[in-house]
Amino acid sequence: MAGSGLGNIFRITTWGESHGEALGVVVDGVPAGMKLSEEHIQAFLDRRRPGRSRYATARAEADRVEILSGVFEGVTTGTPVSLMIRNQDQHSSDYADLADVFRPGHADYTFWEKYGVRDYRGGGRASGRETIGRVAAGAIAVELLKSLGIRLTTYTRQIGPVNAMVFDREEIAKNAFCMPDAQAAKEAERFLDQCMEERDSAGGVIECMIENLPAGLGDPVFEKVDANLAKAVMSIGAVKGFEIGDGFAVAAQRGSQNNDAFVRSAKGRGVEKTTNHAGGVLGGITDGSALVFRAAVKPTPSISRPQKTVNTHREDTMIEIHGRHDPVIVPRAVVVVESMAALTLADALLMNMSARMDRIVKFYEQL
Amino acid sequence: MAGSGLGNIFRITTWGESHGEALGVVVDGVPAGMKLSEEHIQAFLDRRRPGRSRYATARAEADRVEILSGVFEGVTTGTPVSLMIRNQDQHSSDYADLADVFRPGHADYTFWEKYGVRDYRGGGRASGRETIGRVAAGAIAVELLKSLGIRLTTYTRQIGPVNAMVFDREEIAKNAFCMPDAQAAKEAERFLDQCMEERDSAGGVIECMIENLPAGLGDPVFEKVDANLAKAVMSIGAVKGFEIGDGFAVAAQRGSQNNDAFVRSAKGRGVEKTTNHAGGVLGGITDGSALVFRAAVKPTPSISRPQKTVNTHREDTMIEIHGRHDPVIVPRAVVVVESMAALTLADALLMNMSARMDRIVKFYEQL
Amino acid sequence: MAGSGLGNIFRITTWGESHGEALGVVVDGVPAGMKLSEEHIQAFLDRRRPGRSRYATARAEADRVEILSGVFEGVTTGTPVSLMIRNQDQHSSDYADLADVFRPGHADYTFWEKYGVRDYRGGGRASGRETIGRVAAGAIAVELLKSLGIRLTTYTRQIGPVNAMVFDREEIAKNAFCMPDAQAAKEAERFLDQCMEERDSAGGVIECMIENLPAGLGDPVFEKVDANLAKAVMSIGAVKGFEIGDGFAVAAQRGSQNNDAFVRSAKGRGVEKTTNHAGGVLGGITDGSALVFRAAVKPTPSISRPQKTVNTHREDTMIEIHGRHDPVIVPRAVVVVESMAALTLADALLMNMSARMDRIVKFYEQL
Amino acid sequence: MAGSGLGNIFRITTWGESHGEALGVVVDGVPAGMKLSEEHIQAFLDRRRPGRSRYATARAEADRVEILSGVFEGVTTGTPVSLMIRNQDQHSSDYADLADVFRPGHADYTFWEKYGVRDYRGGGRASGRETIGRVAAGAIAVELLKSLGIRLTTYTRQIGPVNAMVFDREEIAKNAFCMPDAQAAKEAERFLDQCMEERDSAGGVIECMIENLPAGLGDPVFEKVDANLAKAVMSIGAVKGFEIGDGFAVAAQRGSQNNDAFVRSAKGRGVEKTTNHAGGVLGGITDGSALVFRAAVKPTPSISRPQKTVNTHREDTMIEIHGRHDPVIVPRAVVVVESMAALTLADALLMNMSARMDRIVKFYEQL
């Protein structure tokens, strides 16, 4: 079943394995007339690049993006934008001994069970490298949103037991964890050092805030913007939970606490909320407040401690995973989460254009 | 934008407003040869019916389902099954004074902003009654799964601050909250009484466990079974969070804790896990363990306390919501969550049939 | 597999069997703010009604449409419009002797082969009555197009060997065959009388012309407007061919004949064509000329002559089909073809709104 | 709007412009376990290659396909197969003088009207080179069908006024026109020579016959196999008409002529037809007979004669098209038509697996 496509009007199709020839994405439905260059996509892609700190793998890959179609003289033409990143420095031999054993916490067993064959090199399609296509496409979606004044800010809220307690936007780019709290980043560092010493790994929580969204995005009842965000974000390999606004905390709240009061304002149609427990979405449709959601990221399953497992011959065995593995993938996943959000919202923006007959008539009268 | 459809091979399209003529669903892609009767769907539908306790609204609706197509002589024919439930006892007049005011925590404002017009009676399409179509369709999906030996169990894990501490499957059907813990149900009762006294409402958490699923369901990378479950469940009006397996708790775990070890077994292809932190899904594909997920449900936004808001003329005003409203919707949402899970898994089961060439050849050779 | 849905943004899902409880359609993605009443849909639906002449069956069905959702106070709300038509006067007993025999030219055998069971009453889902849902939805699409000044004219070009030689728009509604040529209609009448006498049936060709379409509709490369029209029209039961512009005649043309020259004009962006061999579409995108296509309709397969066939027990047998059957279905199919065209173009219109970034920015700036 | 994807379970997404960096296709939903090599795809791709005769352009392109993903150790893994063909020998300068003028019969004007910008080099996305992605993907679909014993034969039925009068399967590969009639091929040669002398071009008709298809493929009512074939084939740039079985000829037939009688047989479920006017499809579902359809291909619009047109400044002007252009594209389109057929049928085959509950249960029991 075709499962590598996402989106309705603005639609991506990703492809590629960790140690195959290349990875890439076809971005279909990109509006014509947007400025687009490899430099721009590259800058975004570099945010997910390994090697930025000792908490990320040393794989020195350039991950250079090539635009293969859809752009002419620096401008999108409305036809599919095909992006490719060649694989280099693949160290396939690192994985030869994993050919017939299932790594705990990985998709080795499920792919083998489903398909009967699998590309075991570095996890194949189930590798974190699969997200390259998402991020390359995300760069275009972010640009589309920017043209409309929409801003995305994504950061780490939690690493293991360490929570960001303050929100300092400037700080996010300054530490290795993308945390908006310098003090918390220092504590996370200490925690990570300990994990590495113990040949173990850590998880965390990523938060994304999207400001200046118009009210009205999202379509009842299954194309709710939060439902689509949930799918997009939960489709990232290591994500095990998604919540919007107050999220799981709503379970212990009263209605009187959770409801956001409306008041007159100078913005939009003159209505805003005094609080934002809802996270910017009511009934699946944006309400003009900041959209805020969080994703829970599990600890890196590849740890070098010995672990019990079985092999393809159904024999009990032990596994020790060597090679390059991040003790925490949260910081590198930040831009992946932002990409999935941008892709979902770009699609919602275009879908919303056909919601009202009066606006459709006006649109065509103005051509 | 068409937003009321969900699923690829097994696909539902729901329709209807709270106080319109009727609500319903078209279930397309139902395999031919399944026994199906109105009685069967009705029994499932009755699980979401109001009036089962004093914690649910007294609306004495029959909500009788009618099968309009797709079934001949008690058996599905492979053509769309159209199901309709007529609205009765509508009390539209209760809502007349809500015509130009936005209820906090509801979708009144966002629908008005998006569409320019809205059916304000009981929330229109954004009412909880919208879920009738989901549940009617869910009854068919559950039946399909049963034919393959798959069992769904859905229950309330939390009401306000009260958590179920034990899992007693028999208890679920015995208390008004669908909790698997009789003691917790009693405490929830006390808590709810207090909420009602204070003209307030409560939220909670619903958990769904699906046993006996074959390994291999779900398609990389965007049709992951957990991503599709997240979308399906987050599309339910009051749900603000979704998590699978250990969910948000993974953020504070180490890899050595979170990884599930594989061992030989007598089941399936002879591989199982000693723990199930993953919740039955690895890399978006079922691994043969029980699939376990949770949904966070917000407190009912309709409370009778006075609340600050604005109206369609952009004037500040106060609102007091009267009429019938559940102080907690969690118990009635249990079957809705189960329905969304069943629909998603039925689709995944059918999609998985084309994963391997050897099985395709065998399938056609056996016709 | 879900096969009863069509369209992306403006999407229909039809359901219902010839002799089931009812037939209907859910129209999802209807823009909010359109005036819509049952009377309006009924008027369109009456165009496909039997009993308008002695060349159509006498089944005296009212085929009354009911709007069940999506319309509030006479205006569409943006939510799905559900339309239902109850079956009456079903004469199921007419079909009892067809339960285990395959009618030549019908889908009896293929449904039985595919599904193992079938609703044999009147062809079940494969009956011409299935088109009721298409036409009910088509009424809405036509209304949407009208709001933008777009006009559809559909008529019979050929009945058996008789071709319309002149195009008199006024004449179309005046004769029983919807022909734009009074003389041809008379000849068709004579031909049909002869067919009926010989217990035989006739086919024909339907043409549809759509005027005042904006240039730019249709998306390369698989969502070409002519490709989508072909699918929509070929999905009508009895249609065996589709052609646009000069159609099959292009095979014998030279490039110098078939190319349409461009010239300056006062219309649109100031470009028009001196001829219209292309039928209004270049590269799958409308060019501002009239869009013109044709559909070939096969002779009614239900004829009362004895025919050779087999039964479900794989025995050779003879069949004589009694009951009510049109000797030609072309006149009643005219409105079905028009509906499929309108549905396809409504969708293309909405899809086209997101083609250019400058127009998207302008759209959102004007909210 | 995303328009470059086709198919449900077996789904392709094509990309690329005539004179861009490369062209390609992502084939998603390819079953795991199929043998696949670049050699195999290349052989199929070479069938659309120019330069096979003096009736095709001399562009000496290798059009070498690269498999970038989805294949491991010579076998498909179930993940997307990404195929790329680099452009070479591009002669972009040939097209510089076409930057601001609209070629008659081409999509220059409609792309400009829709998108505001266009890649004018060689027609950009609207070039015949766009079909490379279709054919590369078609090679995989053909292989899938072969595994099930299904055979496609595609050939030229007509070139200008010349019709193939006999069907000699062996002859198809022997002449420059892919005609199954050596005598007709000779006449076509004479006709083409005359066209070239007159600086003109010719059209034709392509026929495709698919044998050994199981009965039961295709889903009512919009996913009919003939409707999907119509869309797939009409989406090829130069195709202006599609018909199945007797096609447009049915208009002049009687029911008694057009109906195919059923008889007992030793094949399949023991039912076959004595004739095949239907072309292998009844009610949109394959009936076990050979599926036969035809496509009308218009004459090459690029002719070197002077033609009247306008430019982007809305000035009347003349155009003379130089460079390499086939006087007839029919022979090269044969493999494109075959590819679109194979892609459609591969998808229908996989979709059909979920039609019956008994077969679903059996499938999962046998895992």
Side-chain angles (χ1 to χ4, degrees):
Chain A
M1 156 80 197
S4 288
L6 189 75
N8 295 295
I9 295 184
F10 190 97
R11 183 175 172 87
I12 64 168
T13 304
T14 70
W15 54 271
E17 282 82 40
S18 176
H19 288 64
E21 283 299 314
L23 295 118
V25 63
V26 182
V27 193
D28 198 4
V30 180
M34 286 176 62
K35 281 186 194 163
L36 194 68
S37 69
E38 287 169 354
E39 288 66 38
H40 167 258
I41 298 170
Q42 191 64 50
F44 200 73
L45 209 51
D46 287 347
R47 284 176 58 190
R48 76 166 287 292
R49 204 178 144 190
R52 298 199 312 170
S53 79
R54 67 197 149 114
Y55 308 111
T57 66
R59 187 168 174 175
E61 295 194 22
D63 282 347
R64 300 303 307 172
V65 70
E66 253 188 281
I67 299 178
L68 299 172
S69 71
V71 177
F72 181 57
E73 298 178 345
V75 170
T76 57
T77 59
T79 62
V81 177
S82 178
L83 303 173
M84 179 177 67
I85 295 92
R86 288 269 181 198
N87 278 322
Q88 300 164 344
D89 180 22
Q90 298 165 359
H91 291 234
S92 293
S93 54
D94 286 5
Y95 297 95
D97 51 348
L98 298 179
D100 63 357
V101 66
F102 304 128
R103 291 169 301 166
H106 280 279
D108 299 346
Y109 169 64
T110 52
F111 269 67
W112 179 77
E113 181 68 38
K114 184 180 189 77
Y115 295 116
V117 295
R118 71 187 171 95
D119 180 348
Y120 53 78
R121 299 166 305 166
R125 183 82 177 132
S127 163
R129 277 188 73 71
E130 169 263 309
T131 60
I132 287 182
R134 302 174 184 238
V135 175
I140 302 178
V142 163
E143 205 62 12
L144 190 158
L145 297 175
K146 257 192 207 162
S147 307
L148 295 158
I150 298 162
R151 175 164 75 156
L152 297 96
T153 313
T154 319
Y155 42 90
T156 300
R157 271 291 294 264
Q158 186 183 343
I159 294 277
V162 183
N163 280 275
M165 306 302 285
V166 299
F167 180 76
D168 174 358
R169 200 189 292 264
E170 302 305 309
E171 177 61 28
I172 298 168
K174 290 184 183 159
N175 63 72
F177 302 103
C178 306
M179 284 184 118
D181 176 343
Q183 180 59 33
K186 283 219 179 67
E187 287 171 42
E189 205 168 318
R190 275 191 296 275
F191 173 69
L192 255 295
D193 285 340
Q194 195 188 333
C195 284
M196 290 170 79
E197 210 168 290
E198 297 171 12
R199 298 164 73 185
D200 216 333
S201 62
V205 172
I206 293 169
E207 186 167 87
C208 178
M209 175 171 63
I210 305 149
E211 293 163 296
N212 210 24
L213 277 174
L217 308 189
D219 285 86
V221 298
F222 300 118
E223 298 294 322
K224 288 189 166 85
V225 76
D226 41 351
N228 279 332
L229 282 168
K231 173 169 178 166
V233 170
M234 288 290 303
S235 78
I236 304 169
V239 175
K240 301 299 284 185
F242 174 91
E243 58 178 16
I244 189 157
D246 287 358
F248 274 86
V250 298
Q253 291 176 355
R254 302 280 186 101
S256 57
Q257 287 172 274
N258 184 253
N259 285 351
D260 301 309
F262 290 109
V263 290
R264 296 172 55 188
S265 95
K267 256 188 58 181
R269 303 260 199 126
V271 175
E272 65 183 29
K273 296 165 8 193
T274 53
T275 52
N276 191 15
H277 296 287
V281 173
L282 284 167
I285 302 174
T286 55
D287 64 15
S289 310
L291 195 157
V292 182
F293 72 82
R294 278 170 300 283
V297 179
K298 74 174 186 176
T300 317
S302 288
I303 52 175
S304 56
R305 289 189 187 191
Q307 297 180 83
K308 282 174 64 173
T309 190
V310 295
N311 62 23
T312 54
H313 311 296
R314 209 189 147 208
E315 296 158 338
D316 289 321
T317 183
M318 293 297 288
I319 188 169
E320 273 184 66
I321 298 169
H322 303 294
R324 304 156 307 193
H325 300 288
D326 298 350
V328 67
I329 60 164
V330 174
R332 291 178 60 190
V334 163
V335 70
V336 181
V337 168
E338 183 163 314
S339 295
M340 298 316 293
L343 291 163
T344 304
L345 288 162
D347 200 25
L349 261 160
L350 303 184
M351 291 195 285
N352 182 51
M353 295 177 75
S354 54
R356 291 174 56 161
M357 199 62 216
D358 54 353
R359 293 178 182 165
I360 297 166
V361 170
K362 192 173 167 190
F363 179 92
Y364 276 104
E365 281 174 356
Q366 290 182 347
L367 291 199
Chain B
M1 156 79 198
S4 288
L6 188 75
N8 295 295
I9 295 185
F10 190 96
R11 182 174 173 87
I12 64 169
T13 304
T14 70
W15 54 270
E17 283 83 39
S18 176
H19 287 64
E21 283 300 312
L23 296 117
V25 63
V26 183
V27 193
D28 198 4
V30 179
M34 286 175 62
K35 281 187 193 160
L36 195 67
S37 69
E38 287 169 355
E39 289 65 40
H40 168 257
I41 298 170
Q42 192 63 50
F44 200 72
L45 210 50
D46 287 346
R47 285 176 56 190
R48 76 165 287 291
R49 207 178 142 189
R52 298 200 311 170
S53 79
R54 68 197 148 111
Y55 309 111
T57 67
R59 186 168 176 175
E61 298 193 21
D63 283 350
R64 299 303 307 172
V65 70
E66 253 190 280
I67 299 178
L68 299 172
S69 70
V71 177
F72 180 58
E73 299 178 344
V75 170
T76 58
T77 59
T79 62
V81 177
S82 178
L83 304 174
M84 179 176 67
I85 295 93
R86 289 268 181 200
N87 278 322
Q88 301 163 344
D89 180 22
Q90 297 166 0
H91 292 233
S92 294
S93 54
D94 286 5
Y95 297 95
D97 52 347
L98 297 178
D100 63 358
V101 65
F102 304 129
R103 291 169 302 165
H106 279 279
D108 299 346
Y109 169 64
T110 52
F111 268 69
W112 179 76
E113 182 69 37
K114 183 179 189 79
Y115 295 118
V117 295
R118 73 189 170 94
D119 181 348
Y120 53 78
R121 299 167 303 167
R125 184 81 177 131
S127 163
R129 277 187 72 71
E130 169 263 310
T131 59
I132 287 182
R134 303 174 185 237
V135 175
I140 303 178
V142 163
E143 205 60 14
L144 191 157
L145 297 175
K146 256 191 209 164
S147 308
L148 295 158
I150 298 163
R151 176 164 74 156
L152 297 95
T153 313
T154 320
Y155 42 89
T156 300
R157 271 289 294 264
Q158 186 183 344
I159 294 278
V162 182
N163 281 274
M165 305 303 284
V166 300
F167 181 77
D168 174 358
R169 200 189 292 264
E170 302 305 308
E171 177 61 30
I172 297 168
K174 291 184 183 158
N175 62 73
F177 302 103
C178 306
M179 285 184 118
D181 175 343
Q183 180 59 32
K186 283 220 178 67
E187 286 171 41
E189 206 169 317
R190 276 192 294 276
F191 173 70
L192 255 296
D193 285 339
Q194 195 188 333
C195 284
M196 289 171 79
E197 209 168 291
E198 297 170 13
R199 298 163 73 186
D200 215 334
S201 62
V205 172
I206 293 168
E207 187 166 86
C208 178
M209 176 170 62
I210 305 150
E211 294 163 295
N212 211 23
L213 277 173
L217 307 189
D219 284 86
V221 299
F222 299 119
E223 298 294 322
K224 288 188 166 86
V225 77
D226 41 352
N228 279 333
L229 282 168
K231 173 169 178 165
V233 170
M234 288 290 302
S235 78
I236 303 170
V239 174
K240 301 299 283 184
F242 174 90
E243 57 178 18
I244 189 158
D246 288 358
F248 274 87
V250 298
Q253 292 176 354
R254 302 279 187 101
S256 57
Q257 288 172 274
N258 184 252
N259 284 351
D260 300 309
F262 291 109
V263 290
R264 296 171 55 187
S265 94
K267 258 188 57 182
R269 302 261 199 126
V271 176
E272 66 184 29
K273 295 164 10 191
T274 53
T275 52
N276 191 13
H277 297 286
V281 173
L282 284 167
I285 302 173
T286 55
D287 64 15
S289 312
L291 195 156
V292 182
F293 72 82
R294 278 170 300 282
V297 179
K298 75 174 183 176
T300 317
S302 288
I303 52 175
S304 56
R305 290 190 186 189
Q307 298 180 83
K308 283 174 65 174
T309 191
V310 295
N311 62 23
T312 55
H313 312 294
R314 208 189 147 210
E315 295 158 341
D316 288 323
T317 183
M318 293 297 288
I319 188 170
E320 272 184 66
I321 298 169
H322 303 295
R324 304 156 305 192
H325 301 287
D326 299 350
V328 67
I329 60 164
V330 173
R332 290 178 60 192
V334 163
V335 70
V336 182
V337 167
E338 183 164 315
S339 295
M340 298 316 294
L343 292 163
T344 305
L345 288 162
D347 200 25
L349 261 160
L350 304 184
M351 292 195 285
N352 181 52
M353 295 176 75
S354 54
R356 291 173 58 161
M357 200 61 217
D358 53 353
R359 292 178 184 166
I360 297 165
V361 170
K362 192 173 167 190
F363 179 92
Y364 277 103
E365 281 174 355
Q366 290 183 347
L367 291 198
Chain C
M1 155 82 196
S4 287
L6 188 76
N8 294 296
I9 295 184
F10 190 96
R11 182 173 173 88
I12 63 168
T13 304
T14 70
W15 54 270
E17 282 83 38
S18 176
H19 286 64
E21 283 300 312
L23 296 117
V25 63
V26 183
V27 193
D28 199 4
V30 180
M34 286 176 64
K35 280 186 193 162
L36 195 68
S37 68
E38 286 169 355
E39 287 66 39
H40 168 258
I41 298 169
Q42 192 64 51
F44 200 73
L45 210 50
D46 288 347
R47 287 176 56 190
R48 75 166 287 291
R49 206 177 143 189
R52 298 200 310 170
S53 78
R54 69 197 147 114
Y55 308 112
T57 67
R59 186 169 175 173
E61 297 195 20
D63 283 348
R64 299 302 308 170
V65 70
E66 253 189 281
I67 298 179
L68 298 172
S69 71
V71 177
F72 181 57
E73 298 177 347
V75 170
T76 59
T77 60
T79 61
V81 177
S82 177
L83 304 173
M84 179 176 67
I85 294 92
R86 289 269 180 199
N87 277 322
Q88 300 164 345
D89 180 23
Q90 298 166 358
H91 290 232
S92 293
S93 54
D94 286 6
Y95 298 96
D97 51 347
L98 298 178
D100 62 358
V101 66
F102 305 127
R103 292 170 300 166
H106 280 279
D108 299 346
Y109 169 63
T110 53
F111 269 68
W112 179 76
E113 182 69 36
K114 183 181 189 78
Y115 294 118
V117 294
R118 71 188 174 95
D119 180 347
Y120 53 78
R121 300 167 303 167
R125 184 81 178 134
S127 163
R129 275 188 73 70
E130 170 262 310
T131 60
I132 287 184
R134 303 172 183 239
V135 175
I140 303 178
V142 163
E143 204 60 15
L144 191 158
L145 297 175
K146 258 191 207 162
S147 306
L148 295 158
I150 298 161
R151 176 164 73 156
L152 297 96
T153 312
T154 319
Y155 41 90
T156 299
R157 273 289 295 263
Q158 185 182 343
I159 294 277
V162 183
N163 281 274
M165 306 303 285
V166 300
F167 180 77
D168 174 359
R169 200 189 292 265
E170 302 305 309
E171 177 60 30
I172 298 168
K174 291 185 183 157
N175 63 72
F177 301 104
C178 307
M179 285 185 120
D181 175 343
Q183 179 60 33
K186 281 219 181 66
E187 288 171 41
E189 206 167 318
R190 277 192 293 276
F191 174 69
L192 255 296
D193 285 339
Q194 192 187 334
C195 283
M196 289 171 78
E197 209 168 289
E198 298 170 11
R199 298 164 73 188
D200 215 334
S201 63
V205 172
I206 294 169
E207 186 167 86
C208 178
M209 174 170 63
I210 304 150
E211 294 163 296
N212 210 23
L213 277 174
L217 307 190
D219 285 86
V221 298
F222 299 118
E223 298 295 322
K224 288 187 166 88
V225 76
D226 41 352
N228 279 331
L229 283 168
K231 173 169 177 164
V233 171
M234 287 291 302
S235 77
I236 303 170
V239 174
K240 301 299 284 185
F242 173 90
E243 59 178 16
I244 189 158
D246 288 357
F248 274 87
V250 298
Q253 291 176 355
R254 302 279 185 103
S256 57
Q257 289 173 271
N258 184 253
N259 285 350
D260 300 310
F262 291 109
V263 290
R264 295 172 55 188
S265 95
K267 256 188 59 181
R269 304 260 199 124
V271 175
E272 63 184 31
K273 295 163 11 192
T274 53
T275 52
N276 190 16
H277 297 286
V281 173
L282 284 167
I285 301 174
T286 56
D287 65 14
S289 311
L291 196 156
V292 182
F293 71 83
R294 277 170 301 283
V297 180
K298 74 174 186 177
T300 316
S302 288
I303 53 175
S304 56
R305 289 190 188 190
Q307 297 180 85
K308 282 174 65 174
T309 189
V310 294
N311 62 23
T312 54
H313 312 296
R314 209 188 147 210
E315 296 159 337
D316 288 322
T317 183
M318 291 298 287
I319 188 169
E320 273 185 66
I321 298 170
H322 303 295
R324 305 157 305 194
H325 300 288
D326 299 351
V328 67
I329 60 165
V330 174
R332 290 178 60 191
V334 163
V335 70
V336 182
V337 168
E338 183 163 315
S339 295
M340 298 316 293
L343 291 163
T344 304
L345 287 162
D347 200 24
L349 260 160
L350 303 184
M351 291 196 286
N352 182 51
M353 295 178 74
S354 54
R356 290 174 58 160
M357 200 61 217
D358 54 353
R359 291 177 184 168
I360 297 166
V361 170
K362 193 174 168 189
F363 179 92
Y364 276 104
E365 280 173 357
Q366 290 181 347
L367 291 198
Chain D
M1 156 79 195
S4 288
L6 188 76
N8 294 295
I9 295 184
F10 191 96
R11 182 174 174 86
I12 64 168
T13 304
T14 70
W15 54 271
E17 282 82 39
S18 175
H19 287 64
E21 283 300 313
L23 297 118
V25 63
V26 183
V27 192
D28 200 4
V30 180
M34 285 176 64
K35 279 187 194 164
L36 195 67
S37 69
E38 287 169 355
E39 288 66 39
H40 166 258
I41 298 170
Q42 191 64 50
F44 201 72
L45 210 50
D46 288 347
R47 286 177 56 191
R48 76 166 287 291
R49 206 178 143 188
R52 298 200 309 170
S53 77
R54 69 197 149 114
Y55 308 111
T57 67
R59 187 169 176 175
E61 296 194 21
D63 283 348
R64 299 302 307 172
V65 69
E66 253 189 280
I67 298 179
L68 298 172
S69 71
V71 176
F72 181 58
E73 299 178 344
V75 170
T76 58
T77 60
T79 62
V81 177
S82 178
L83 303 173
M84 180 176 68
I85 295 93
R86 290 269 180 199
N87 277 322
Q88 300 164 343
D89 180 24
Q90 299 165 357
H91 290 232
S92 293
S93 54
D94 285 6
Y95 297 96
D97 51 347
L98 298 178
D100 63 357
V101 66
F102 305 128
R103 292 169 300 166
H106 280 278
D108 299 346
Y109 169 64
T110 52
F111 268 68
W112 179 77
E113 181 68 37
K114 183 181 189 76
Y115 294 118
V117 295
R118 72 187 171 96
D119 180 349
Y120 53 78
R121 299 166 304 167
R125 183 80 177 134
S127 162
R129 276 188 72 70
E130 169 262 310
T131 59
I132 287 183
R134 303 173 183 239
V135 175
I140 303 178
V142 163
E143 204 60 14
L144 191 157
L145 297 175
K146 258 190 208 163
S147 305
L148 295 158
I150 298 162
R151 176 163 75 157
L152 298 95
T153 313
T154 319
Y155 42 90
T156 299
R157 272 290 294 265
Q158 185 182 344
I159 293 278
V162 183
N163 281 274
M165 306 304 285
V166 301
F167 180 76
D168 174 357
R169 199 190 292 266
E170 302 304 309
E171 177 60 30
I172 298 169
K174 290 185 183 158
N175 62 72
F177 300 104
C178 307
M179 286 184 118
D181 175 343
Q183 180 59 33
K186 282 220 178 66
E187 287 171 40
E189 204 168 319
R190 276 192 293 278
F191 173 69
L192 255 295
D193 285 339
Q194 193 187 334
C195 284
M196 289 171 79
E197 209 169 292
E198 297 170 13
R199 297 164 74 187
D200 216 334
S201 63
V205 172
I206 294 168
E207 186 167 87
C208 178
M209 173 170 65
I210 305 150
E211 293 163 296
N212 209 24
L213 277 173
L217 308 189
D219 285 86
V221 297
F222 299 119
E223 298 294 323
K224 287 187 166 88
V225 76
D226 41 352
N228 279 331
L229 282 168
K231 173 169 178 164
V233 170
M234 288 291 302
S235 78
I236 303 170
V239 174
K240 303 297 286 183
F242 173 90
E243 59 179 15
I244 189 158
D246 287 357
F248 274 86
V250 298
Q253 291 176 356
R254 303 278 186 103
S256 57
Q257 288 173 273
N258 185 254
N259 285 349
D260 301 310
F262 290 109
V263 290
R264 295 171 56 189
S265 95
K267 254 188 60 181
R269 304 261 199 126
V271 175
E272 64 183 31
K273 295 163 10 194
T274 52
T275 52
N276 191 15
H277 296 285
V281 173
L282 284 168
I285 302 174
T286 55
D287 65 14
S289 312
L291 195 156
V292 182
F293 71 83
R294 278 171 299 283
V297 180
K298 74 175 187 176
T300 317
S302 289
I303 52 175
S304 56
R305 288 189 187 191
Q307 296 180 87
K308 282 175 64 172
T309 190
V310 295
N311 62 24
T312 55
H313 311 295
R314 208 188 147 211
E315 296 159 338
D316 288 323
T317 182
M318 292 298 288
I319 188 170
E320 273 185 64
I321 298 170
H322 303 295
R324 305 155 305 192
H325 300 288
D326 298 352
V328 66
I329 61 166
V330 174
R332 289 178 60 191
V334 163
V335 70
V336 182
V337 167
E338 182 163 316
S339 294
M340 297 317 293
L343 291 164
T344 304
L345 287 163
D347 200 24
L349 260 161
L350 303 184
M351 292 195 286
N352 181 51
M353 294 177 74
S354 54
R356 292 174 56 160
M357 199 62 217
D358 54 353
R359 291 177 184 167
I360 297 166
V361 170
K362 191 173 167 189
F363 179 92
Y364 276 104
E365 282 174 356
Q366 290 182 346
L367 291 197

